[in-house]
Amino acid sequence: MGLFTINCFVMKEKRLVIDYVEYDSLAEMPERERGLMECAMESANKAYAPYSKFHVGAAVLLADGTMVQGSNQENIAYPSGLCAERTALFSASAQYPGQAVVALAVVGHFEGEYTEASPCGACRQVMAEYEMRYGNKLTIFCYLKGGRIRRIEGVESLLPFGFNADL
Ligand code: THU
């Protein structure tokens, strides 16, 4: 049988569906989730972003209820800076290495106005590492324009087909 004939039989079209929740405002959120979001908002005010002027704040919730803040820290040599999400995750891991990370909230503002903040690809990969390390899914909250909040269960929804080698 020729190669052409085999190809005709093996192709399948598939579809990926992502579920997420959207709150209309902070007021709609359960208290604990709102607390994490507010912690991220406070953190954004500690960003060092003289180059992009985009102030990003993140807050990580650990299994014991501890919240750890992170904000973007820029550098004149641009790639030497770090995103808010990774600053928060690495700080949490450095201070509380035994505590699983259960949730992460992220917000960003530009020229005094909140804008959509969604984790970059590198931060998504780092989040995936914490899920793998602690064996639980992360809940991710992103502050959107107009004060809405997106809630996503599990990094897989943000990073489908991510790197996941069996090492
Ligand atoms: N940034 C974050 O802190 N988190 C993201 O997920 C995307 C981008 C920062 C990096 C840089 O300091 C600024 O936002 C503009 O890209």
Side-chain angles (χ1 to χ4, degrees), residues 26-40:
L26 274 177
E28 247 192 47
M29 297 178 88
E31 204 178 313
R32 199 161 109 127
E33 301 187 350
R34 188 168 59 243
L36 188 68
M37 207 66 212
E38 285 167 349
C39 188

Side-chain angles (χ1 to χ4, degrees), residues 49 52 54 56 71-74 82-85 106 118-120 123:
S52 73
F54 185 40
V56 188
S71 51
N72 56 331
Q73 301 296 319
E74 297 185 349
L82 195 63
C83 293
E85 297 91 320
V106 58
S118 189
C120 77
C123 289

Side-chain angles (χ1 to χ4, degrees), residues 31-123:
E31 204 178 313
R32 199 161 109 127
E33 301 187 350
R34 188 168 59 243
L36 188 68
M37 207 66 212
E38 285 167 349
C39 188
M41 289 169 123
E42 187 198 274
S43 181
N45 298 325
K46 301 173 190 167
Y48 175 66
Y51 306 105
S52 73
K53 313 260 193 285
F54 185 40
H55 293 75
V56 188
V60 160
L61 179 67
L62 304 181
D64 68 355
T66 304
M67 288 192 260
V68 180
Q69 292 181 322
S71 51
N72 56 331
Q73 301 296 319
E74 297 185 349
N75 192 277
I76 193 161
Y78 284 16
S80 303
L82 195 63
C83 293
E85 297 91 320
R86 274 177 288 163
T87 304
L89 285 164
F90 293 154
S91 174
S93 182
Q95 294 180 79
Y96 309 98
Q99 283 295 320
V101 177
V102 294
L104 181 147
V106 58
V107 312
H109 56 76
F110 182 73
E111 293 177 343
E113 271 207 46
Y114 284 105
T115 180
E116 173 150 347
S118 189
C120 77
C123 289

